[in-house]
Amino acid sequence: MPTILDKVGGVINEIEGGTYPLWIWAPVAVLGLIVLRWLTRPEPYKGVPEPPCPSKLWGHFQSAHVTPAGRHWGRYFDVYGPSIKAGKMLVTADPATIHHVLTTNCYSYTKSTFTRPFVKRLIGEGLVWSEGDMHKLQRKQLVPAFSQEAVNLMGPIIRDVVERCSDKVGQLMDQGNGIVDIHDIVSKTTLDVFGRVALNLDFDCIEDGSPEIRRKWRAQSNTIIKPDGFKHIAVLRAFPWIANLPVPVIQAQGDVKAVVEPLAGDIIETARRNANASSIKGNDLLSMLLRTGEMTGNRLRDNISTFIVAGFDSTSASATWCLYALARNQRVQNKLREELLAFGREPTEKDLASMAAFPYFDAVIKETLRMYPVTDAERVALEDDVVPLKFPITKPDGSKITELHIRKGDSMVIPFICSNRLNLVWGDGDNFRPERWLDEKTMPPKDQLTQGWSNLVTFSEGPRLCIGVRLALLEMKIILFTLLRNYTFSLTSDKFEVNGYFFASLIPVVKGHEEKGAYMPLRVAHYEG
């Protein structure tokens, strides 16, 4: 019986004999070589457990997309352990593997051919997009603008915007019979904050200004998180080269960047014509970077776009999920409010950075960011490697796998939400319980945790640790401190159910109102303390 290679040889003979014209056989030959290479590539991650595949066509990834964030992989981690195989891809929440890939050997792993073009369209060729030496250079240039001192100078700007947010919540509460879409107003607030701290521009989103930015961002996210949105992702993952084609649904992913970039470009051009850059005033990010003069041109513009687009959405998502968790847990909300009110004055930026006076507030922030991280990571190996496992894999014969051999081109997914909730480590990983952070003795052993901020992978870790983590935390704390002093939050009904889905952040989608896309209605009332 002829083999695949025999059949390929027969086709080649016919090609050589002139049976097929060049325009037919050339692309067929290329496609055939690609398929042959894929079929003959050695099986990656040998010995890693592989759960049953839910779909012959889509593998695991349709189910992972249409089910709430973390639920698909999490249920398999509970059964098979924190390292599993999905087709030819490793999916891992093992802390030792994560530390190796994100910290120890960070620059030997790059974003996938699907992820990197997506990031470029979404926010440009800034820090998040860059790899290797370019990432090292950009991070070095940006670090001074995100120091604790620099972030503290942005505090008054944040407070001013958040006070306007608080006033607006009161108006919306009165207009909506006590129901307020918290995700909508908080995302408007964070966009206003990032406009001010990045460009010294007031988008005035709280009062429905800059509708184009918000409309395009909402349209992008709502398209991807819908069940059919998986098809766009699947096609791009299989054929990454089509990302450059003028397909509207693909190129629309850059709509928000297209609005923000000209704003940054105009300001940069005006500053360029200023002979004395050191005379530029302002505590916003762009002014600080222009004063140093280390980053210029398109790179500066793309990093400003990155900062605004990525920053406002992730911060608003974290604050929104925190208010939702507090609405579900009235005891926690009341205890937190008591601590905030007992402080007796407006906290300074230093107070909110140290959190020494707010141990329970600190615990609530950490538990929120553990439960609701805003992204995942996907990496491809640039070279052969060996990665360690904290939790060995037991083979059918009882022997242990303590490390995995990685080949150049092997890919892996690191679902941050599963790492942060891993029941093997946390015991009750899916439960919102801030008290776990108050006693170090009740915390998991350090060597079972990742090495990022507060031993979570929420902000990534190592050289890829989110450069804006200090600003994100300060803004989140000011939003929560201000709103919880003035208002109480509760669920709209006992049957209220919301699930999170990933786009560029963890987007809340209410069961029964999926057509609304990103949405978090909560019942709000004035605090009558």
Side-chain angles (χ1 to χ4, degrees):
M1 185 172 182
T3 66
I4 293 177
L5 291 177
D6 292 332
K7 292 181 178 180
V8 171
V11 172
I12 291 173
N13 289 334
E14 291 186 353
I15 288 171
E16 289 177 342
T19 305
Y20 300 117
L22 176 66
W23 66 271
I24 290 179
W25 69 256
V28 170
V30 172
L31 180 61
L33 288 172
I34 293 172
V35 172
L36 184 62
R37 183 180 178 185
W38 183 82
L39 289 172
T40 58
R41 179 178 172 84
E43 187 72 17
Y45 308 118
K46 192 173 182 179
V48 176
E50 186 169 10
C53 184
S55 169
K56 291 182 179 180
L57 178 61
W58 303 116
H60 285 269
F61 290 93
Q62 183 181 32
S63 178
H65 180 82
V66 301
T67 55
R71 190 172 296 176
H72 178 80
W73 302 123
R75 66 188 178 190
Y76 290 129
F77 288 152
D78 285 342
V79 175
Y80 296 95
S83 294
I84 59 174
K85 187 165 60 173
K88 294 194 174 185
M89 183 174 285
L90 176 70
V91 185
T92 184
D94 188 287
T97 304
I98 292 172
H99 182 66
H100 181 89
V101 171
L102 298 183
T103 300
T104 306
N105 211 13
C106 169
Y107 292 112
S108 293
Y109 294 86
T110 184
K111 294 179 182 67
S112 70
T113 53
F114 158 71
T115 305
R116 203 157 181 244
F118 171 74
V119 171
K120 181 179 177 180
R121 290 191 301 276
L122 197 65
I123 52 181
E125 298 180 6
L127 184 67
V128 175
W129 173 85
S130 63
E131 300 285 352
D133 290 340
M134 178 57 69
H135 179 267
K136 295 176 186 177
L137 174 62
Q138 290 199 32
R139 191 171 182 94
K140 180 181 178 182
Q141 293 171 332
L142 288 166
V143 159
F146 291 95
S147 67
Q148 189 64 62
E149 180 182 8
V151 168
N152 287 347
L153 292 174
M154 300 176 187
I157 298 173
I158 299 172
R159 293 176 192 280
D160 178 61
V161 175
V162 173
E163 285 297 334
R164 288 195 285 131
C165 164
S166 181
D167 292 342
K168 190 66 176 181
V169 167
Q171 297 173 25
L172 294 171
M173 181 184 68
D174 295 336
Q175 295 167 7
N177 296 318
I179 306 298
V180 177
D181 181 356
I182 291 298
H183 180 267
D184 183 64
I185 184 59
V186 172
S187 64
K188 289 177 179 178
T189 300
T190 56
L191 187 52
D192 279 352
V193 166
F194 279 93
R196 293 272 299 275
V197 301
L199 294 170
N200 197 24
L201 285 179
D202 188 355
F203 294 143
D204 198 26
C205 293
I206 291 175
E207 295 300 334
D208 294 326
S210 303
E212 190 177 16
I213 297 176
R214 292 185 291 104
R215 179 180 60 79
K216 289 185 174 182
W217 183 260
R218 190 178 184 91
Q220 285 178 200
S221 60
N222 288 349
T223 296
I224 294 297
I225 64 174
K226 290 179 180 178
D228 284 348
F230 169 76
K231 296 175 183 177
H232 306 310
I233 295 174
V235 171
L236 286 170
R237 189 182 292 279
F239 308 104
W241 51 269
I242 72 170
N244 296 318
L245 297 180
V247 179
V249 73
I250 296 173
Q251 299 310 320
Q253 293 170 359
D255 280 353
V256 176
K257 180 169 71 75
V259 175
V260 175
E261 278 189 346
L263 299 175
D266 290 345
I267 296 173
I268 292 170
E269 179 60 23
T270 299
R272 188 186 66 80
R273 292 194 294 265
N274 186 337
N276 184 12
S278 62
S279 66
I280 297 173
K281 306 297 181 184
N283 294 323
D284 58 283
L285 177 66
L286 182 56
S287 295
M288 287 189 278
L289 291 174
L290 287 171
R291 281 197 295 271
T292 66
E294 289 195 15
M295 185 175 284
T296 58
N298 290 344
R299 190 179 303 164
L300 176 57
R301 183 202 63 196
D302 281 355
N303 273 293
I304 293 298
S305 297
T306 295
F307 180 58
I308 293 175
V309 176
F312 99 85
D313 192 50
S314 58
T315 306
S316 68
S318 297
T320 297
W321 284 109
C322 186
L323 290 171
Y324 163 72
L326 294 174
R328 286 192 61 186
N329 296 271
Q330 291 295 310
R331 179 193 62 80
V332 175
Q333 183 181 159
N334 293 336
K335 183 175 179 179
L336 173 57
R337 184 178 292 105
E338 289 175 7
E339 180 180 84
L340 301 182
L341 293 174
F343 189 62
R345 62 174 173 82
E346 193 73 22
T348 65
E349 285 71 28
K350 290 183 179 180
D351 291 329
L352 293 174
S354 74
M355 297 294 275
F358 307 109
Y360 199 66
F361 191 18
D362 189 48
V364 168
I365 293 289
K366 290 176 178 175
E367 185 70 348
T368 298
L369 293 171
R370 183 190 70 81
M371 287 281 292
Y372 306 106
V374 297
T375 188
D376 282 342
E378 188 172 315
R379 293 289 184 267
V380 176
L382 297 177
E383 60 188 17
D384 292 354
D385 195 12
V386 178
V387 301
L389 294 172
K390 171 60 185 175
F391 299 104
I393 296 169
T394 302
K395 298 169 68 173
D397 63 5
S399 61
K400 302 283 188 181
I401 299 175
T402 59
E403 60 185 22
L404 298 177
H405 291 265
I406 308 293
R407 291 190 307 273
K408 180 180 178 179
D410 284 350
S411 57
M412 66 182 70
V413 170
I414 304 173
F416 287 0
I417 193 168
C418 295
S419 172
N420 283 356
R421 296 187 182 193
L422 195 61
N423 286 319
L424 179 63
V425 172
W426 296 94
D428 60 343
D430 291 321
N431 292 334
F432 183 81
R433 188 167 59 83
E435 284 75 12
R436 74 175 80 239
W437 297 92
L438 298 177
D439 185 355
E440 191 170 330
K441 295 177 182 177
T442 66
M443 288 288 288
K446 291 280 189 181
D447 64 350
Q448 293 186 9
L449 300 172
T450 54
Q451 304 303 307
W453 173 85
S454 294
N455 290 115
L456 300 172
V457 74
T458 302
F459 294 103
S460 191
E461 65 166 79
R464 286 285 185 181
L465 180 72
C466 174
I467 197 170
V469 58
R470 293 187 182 94
L471 179 59
L473 289 170
L474 177 62
E475 185 179 4
M476 182 180 176
K477 291 170 186 177
I478 291 175
I479 290 172
L480 295 171
F481 197 104
T482 302
L483 293 182
L484 288 167
R485 284 186 310 182
N486 297 323
Y487 302 102
T488 63
F489 299 87
S490 58
L491 302 182
T492 55
S493 74
D494 293 338
K495 297 181 180 179
F496 181 82
E497 183 178 342
V498 63
N499 293 305
Y501 296 86
F502 283 125
F503 171 54
S505 67
L506 186 62
I507 296 173
V509 177
V510 178
K511 187 174 182 180
H513 296 278
E514 288 84 359
E515 76 285 353
K516 291 181 178 289
Y519 184 47
M520 182 67 85
L522 295 179
R523 186 171 299 281
V524 184
H526 288 289
Y527 173 65
E528 306 289 349

